[in-house]
Amino acid sequence: MQLSEQELIRREKLNQLRELGIDPYPAEQYMVDATSASIKQEFSEGKKVVIAGRLMSRRIQGKASFAELQDSEGRIQVYFNRDEICPGDDKTLYNDVYKKLLDIGDFIGIEGELFITQVGEKTVLVKNFKVLSKTLRPLPLPKQDADGNTYDEFNDPEQRYRMRYVDLVVNPKVKEVFVKRTKIMNVIRDFYNDMGFLEVETPILQPIPGGAAARPFITHHNTLNMPLYLRIANELYLKRLIVGGFDGVYEFSKDFRNEGMDRTHNPEFTVMEMYAAYKDYNWMMDTTETLLEKVAMELHGTTKVELDDKTIDFKAPYKRIGILDAIKEHTGFDLYKKSEDEVRAAAKTLNIAVDDTMGIGKLIDEIFGETCEDHYIQPTFIIDYPVEMSPLTKKHRSQEGLTERFELIVNGKELANAYSE
């Protein structure tokens, strides 16, 4: 592979560090006792600290330099002074190592003291530093000209997804998504554990891909000489645990579907499935809205969440509306107890693409998706699906031809799906 000029220069600097007797990739542990966040929160002038992170910017002015160090919790300003770092006659550590051989993106460890600059910036005065990892490829850091125009931003969607590790470094807000995801999973775990539910793990490799209608990934077990499938759903194994005597189980599972990709569909994805004995879909809706309200409060301290310039309120209870009532509300068509031909005619009138392979259930699903789903921004339970759409669901206790199923729609997207089974 052809190396860029920058990569060649960095490799030369790597060799120069080694010639100076500096290991650019030391094996021993570097003991830190502070982070950028803890320094700012518990600041005490003159306090000694040991921190580590990436060198993200610097302004060298002769024998002094201000720089920024980025760790897992943010950035902190650091101040390098040649005579503080090199009090003796040998100024190599500052003049050569810091000024010439370090680059933006390098990991360094710093020992220093806290002080406040004349402009009020909380800063670490560097007393000593150590190279922890020399970076051989330059980071795609944005630059601004005198007019405030930004160049070289790392904002190409495909590159960001393919190089998520770089995205995390140069776009710090991305890290918040990872942190919030973990917090959400922890809140869900605590919620169901407190209810007495059991978290379980079910097989990923399955002899029969069941629990959903999707194309599976196929592999081969050499010892047993048989095909196996990456699971498309964990549903059937969780149900077997209920049959076996557990009253409530749940699982965070990786599922795999060998189908199309878009912003809301990935071949590999995580779902949380929960099954409970002796309950119905009313209990499940109550439980779901209680859980989501708790998640919002734990993450944001409020039930209101800002998303795409919209304010979504996860405060329970949520609106509940039958799917056929929703279609009637937004299209004017009453599809209750209508024949397949009548539903197909309604779809064509609404300019929805249909074909002869679609049954009545698929036709209703297409009509709802195309004409109704986007209207439900606030959390809304779409309930009481026709039996043709959910043939394995328990029949509705009072309305003929319907089932006790719901989908939770938030911001025009399905967030949950559940049944009385």
Side-chain angles (χ1 to χ4, degrees):
M1 183 179 67
Q2 185 79 23
L3 297 178
S4 68
E5 181 182 359
Q6 280 290 321
E7 289 172 314
L8 291 171
I9 292 172
R10 290 186 179 222
R11 279 164 171 75
E12 178 58 31
K13 291 180 179 182
L14 180 74
N15 293 331
Q16 292 179 39
L17 285 171
R18 286 176 170 146
E19 289 171 2
L20 290 172
I22 297 173
D23 183 357
Y25 306 106
E28 65 270 17
Q29 179 181 6
Y30 190 79
M31 298 291 294
V32 301
D33 60 17
T35 65
S36 59
S38 68
I39 287 173
K40 294 172 182 176
Q41 293 166 2
E42 305 163 11
F43 186 85
S44 176
E45 192 154 8
K47 180 181 177 181
K48 291 180 169 56
V49 296
V50 181
I51 59 175
R54 281 186 186 267
L55 190 65
M56 294 302 289
S57 69
R58 59 179 174 174
R59 305 180 301 280
I60 298 176
Q61 298 171 325
K63 66 177 185 178
S65 171
F66 282 99
E68 273 190 314
L69 197 74
Q70 177 173 300
D71 61 16
S72 63
E73 297 187 5
R75 294 189 182 188
I76 187 74
Q77 179 170 270
V78 293
Y79 175 65
F80 290 82
N81 183 284
R82 184 188 66 189
D83 297 330
E84 290 285 347
I85 297 170
C86 309
D89 294 333
D90 186 0
K91 308 296 184 182
T92 302
L93 188 59
Y94 181 84
N95 287 342
D96 293 332
V97 178
Y98 175 71
K99 289 178 66 175
K100 299 177 181 178
L101 301 182
L102 286 188
D103 291 293
I104 301 302
D106 289 350
F107 285 92
I108 60 173
I110 288 176
E111 300 172 32
E113 293 180 4
L114 303 184
F115 77 102
I116 297 179
T117 64
Q118 292 181 351
V119 296
E121 181 83 12
K122 295 175 181 178
T123 306
V124 180
L125 171 62
V126 180
K127 295 292 188 178
N128 190 25
F129 74 90
K130 179 179 181 178
V131 179
L132 300 180
S133 183
K134 178 67 182 170
T135 304
L136 299 182
R137 300 183 68 181
L139 291 172
L141 292 173
K143 304 175 183 64
Q144 279 193 335
D145 61 20
D147 298 324
N149 299 313
T150 303
Y151 301 94
D152 298 333
E153 283 186 289
F154 191 64
N155 55 13
D156 179 78
E158 184 168 345
Q159 274 196 315
R160 290 180 64 189
Y161 281 121
R162 289 182 181 276
M163 304 175 71
R164 183 61 94 184
Y165 52 95
V166 178
D167 196 26
L168 284 165
V169 176
V170 301
N171 295 314
K173 287 187 177 181
V174 174
K175 188 175 291 184
E176 296 177 13
V177 177
F178 285 74
V179 173
K180 286 180 178 179
R181 182 182 188 275
T182 296
K183 288 181 178 179
I184 289 171
M185 294 177 76
N186 288 339
V187 173
I188 293 173
R189 278 195 172 96
D190 291 343
F191 181 83
Y192 284 118
N193 289 345
D194 290 344
M195 290 176 63
F197 281 51
L198 184 70
E199 182 175 7
V200 298
E201 290 186 353
T202 60
I204 293 176
L205 286 174
Q206 301 180 353
I208 300 174
R215 180 183 300 165
F217 287 93
I218 306 173
T219 187
H220 187 81
H221 194 299
N222 291 330
T223 301
L224 298 178
N225 190 27
M226 63 179 289
L228 289 175
Y229 304 87
L230 293 182
R231 68 180 170 202
I232 57 175
N234 54 341
E235 176 176 329
L236 299 182
Y237 287 89
L238 292 174
K239 287 178 176 177
R240 290 171 186 173
L241 292 172
I242 297 296
V243 170
F246 289 103
D247 283 351
V249 294
Y250 72 95
E251 179 182 18
F252 291 94
S253 71
K254 284 286 187 185
D255 289 349
F256 308 86
R257 297 181 181 180
N258 195 3
E259 298 179 340
M261 294 175 61
D262 58 37
R263 289 187 65 231
T264 59
H265 295 85
N266 204 47
E268 174 187 345
F269 59 97
T270 303
V271 298
M272 194 289 296
E273 289 209 25
M274 180 271 285
Y275 288 83
Y278 316 120
K279 310 300 184 184
D280 65 5
Y281 80 148
N282 292 313
W283 177 90
M284 187 69 82
M285 283 188 276
D286 294 342
T287 302
T288 301
E289 60 192 13
T290 302
L291 170 61
L292 293 181
E293 180 179 342
K294 180 178 176 62
V295 168
M297 288 297 299
E298 292 286 338
L299 259 68
H300 305 287
T302 175
T303 60
K304 295 182 178 180
V305 178
E306 301 297 323
L307 180 65
D308 299 333
D309 299 323
K310 304 163 189 168
T311 300
I312 297 175
D313 193 349
F314 285 94
K315 176 71 176 176
Y318 302 160
K319 178 180 177 179
R320 303 180 185 188
I321 183 173
I323 186 171
L324 298 182
D325 294 327
I327 291 173
K328 184 177 180 180
E329 178 181 313
H330 294 290
T331 70
F333 285 94
D334 185 354
L335 302 183
Y336 184 55
K337 291 188 176 180
K338 291 295 189 291
S339 68
E340 182 176 316
D341 289 340
E342 290 173 310
V343 175
R344 189 184 306 278
K348 291 179 178 179
T349 301
L350 294 167
N351 296 317
I352 296 171
V354 297
D355 58 57
D356 294 338
T357 66
M358 294 181 177
I360 189 170
K362 179 63 174 174
L363 291 168
I364 292 173
D365 190 40
E366 288 293 316
I367 292 172
F368 177 80
E370 292 294 326
T371 65
C372 304
E373 205 166 56
D374 290 343
H375 293 280
Y376 296 104
I377 304 302
Q378 299 304 319
T380 304
F381 290 113
I382 306 300
I383 64 174
D384 301 343
Y385 283 65
V387 67
E388 293 86 354
M389 297 182 71
S390 308
L392 300 181
T393 305
K394 285 184 177 179
K395 293 181 179 180
H396 199 283
R397 65 195 71 183
S398 62
Q399 295 190 61
E400 184 183 351
L402 303 182
T403 61
E404 296 200 346
R405 171 191 173 187
F406 73 79
E407 287 187 7
L408 174 62
I409 307 296
V410 180
N411 197 33
K413 296 288 186 294
E414 176 193 342
L415 199 63
N417 186 22
Y419 317 78
S420 294
E421 293 185 292

